DNA sequence: ATAAACCTTTGAGTTAAGTCACAGGTCAAG
DNA sequence: CTTGACCTGTGACTTAACTCAAAGGTTTAT
């Protein structure tokens, strides 16, 4: 049996995180000591590691709660159920990737068009691009590489 | 001069968003009517569009505040200052991309290893991977493509 | 003149995943 | 027997970017 600080240290998380997971229905200690201290079993530790691994591949706590509810009753759940959760998350991640990739492309274009020199920003192509309607950025900078 | 609702509608945002931007030092209307209504000028509208475009390439409001402070005093700022903001954001975006890509890789590997069938999840490779220490996922699923 | 649509301010709620502060109880060592 | 490390519960705070509610004043149209 681990006390809260022992388990937290072993898994490199904060004691409060463990209390937080308990409050949010992810992991409750199997026992309490006479004086009310939380006592976690090996099995509890395994569940915690499950949670941390799931976090490590991008699952939110709400999603992990779903995974856990399947975990504890594998017999009455199908592979399909598990895979569905993974595939939904994958879609989610890919949508975020798509948005970030758009940001990256735009930012790169902005950065590349700007000379980055020490003279006045009065004609900086980045500011011009943000001021104007066009989403296209002119790659000719009238003081490009010059200043 | 636009009243708040007119400008909001023209730019497809919520009235409250405009009030929020004002409270947060991003955009204050140039005028008020006798009865206290906000009155936005064409110039104000352009600043709002600047803000929305900057949001569109991924900048946070705090970052946009910095961009705006350069915008209003271009003469005393250099291209370098602007480019620095863009490059910092680019780095930021690329770090987030890296993390999401790691998630994507892991999730794909998990998904690919699971048969997704309708039989019991008792031996689902996804759950096994999350239960076990190994970050490697065995691609042999003892009921892979079978069930 | 009255209803509808619009505006004002203030302040609270939302989401996610914790983190921290407080006041006090418990346990082991010396 | 006292110190220090640990534990308890409750509840407030954090970040970001809004969004909504309430109570009331203004404008416009009919
Ligand atoms: Zn330049
Ligand atoms: Zn520039
Ligand atoms: Zn299967
Ligand atoms: Zn499976």
């Amino acid at each position: 049996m681990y006390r809260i600080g022992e388990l937290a240290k072993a898994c490199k998380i904060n004691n409060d995180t463990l209390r937080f997971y308990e409050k949010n229905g992810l992991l409750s200690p199997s026992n309490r000591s006479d004086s009310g201290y939380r006592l976690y079993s090996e099995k509890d530790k395994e569940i915690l590691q499950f949670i941390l691994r799931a976090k490590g591949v991008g699952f939110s706590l709400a999603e992990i709660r779903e995974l856990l509810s399947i975990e504890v009753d594998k017999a009455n759940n199908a592979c399909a159920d598990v895979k569905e959760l993974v595939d939904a998350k994958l879609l989610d991640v890919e949508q975020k990737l798509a948005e970030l990739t758009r940001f990256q492309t735009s930012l790169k274009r902005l950065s590349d068009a700007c000379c980055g020199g020490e003279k006045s920003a009065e004609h900086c192509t980045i500011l011009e691009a943000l001021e104007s309607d066009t989403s296209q950025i002119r790659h000719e900078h009238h003081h490009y590489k010059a200043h």
Side-chain angles (χ1 to χ4, degrees), chain A residues 78-80 82-83:
Chain A
C79 258
V82 184
K83 188 163 181 166

Side-chain angles (χ1 to χ4, degrees), chain A residues 3 27 55 91 94-95 97 102 108 119 128:
Chain A
R3 282 194 310 185
L27 174 63
K55 264 172 61 77
L91 203 64
E94 281 170 350
Q95 276 164 6
L97 271 173
R102 266 183 274 118
K108 255 189 192 147
K119 286 199 184 154
E128 280 173 16

Side-chain angles (χ1 to χ4, degrees), chain A residues 27-106:
Chain A
L27 174 63
S28 293
S30 306
N31 292 287
R32 291 277 181 150
S33 73
D34 290 347
S35 54
Y37 287 13
R38 288 168 178 80
L39 295 174
Y40 296 90
S41 67
E42 266 318 313
K43 178 93 181 107
D44 293 334
K45 186 182 184 185
E46 276 164 26
I47 294 171
L48 177 58
Q49 285 168 340
F50 182 102
I51 293 169
L52 298 177
R53 269 178 228 119
K55 264 172 61 77
V57 301
F59 284 108
S60 70
L61 298 189
E63 290 156 350
I64 294 171
R65 232 187 335 257
E66 291 193 69
L67 283 172
L68 283 172
S69 79
I70 291 179
E71 246 292 301
V72 300
D73 188 22
K74 286 182 189 180
N76 288 313
N77 284 278
C79 258
D81 301 325
V82 184
K83 188 163 181 166
E84 196 179 311
L85 290 177
V86 170
D87 287 345
K89 188 68 198 177
L90 188 52
L91 203 64
D92 183 32
V93 164
E94 281 170 350
Q95 276 164 6
K96 284 183 186 149
L97 271 173
E99 177 167 44
L100 282 176
T101 301
R102 266 183 274 118
F103 289 167
Q104 186 191 30
T105 303
S106 302

Side-chain angles (χ1 to χ4, degrees), chain A residues 20 96 136 141 144:
Chain A
F20 175 77
K96 284 183 186 149
Q136 277 309 80
H141 193 174
Y144 189 70

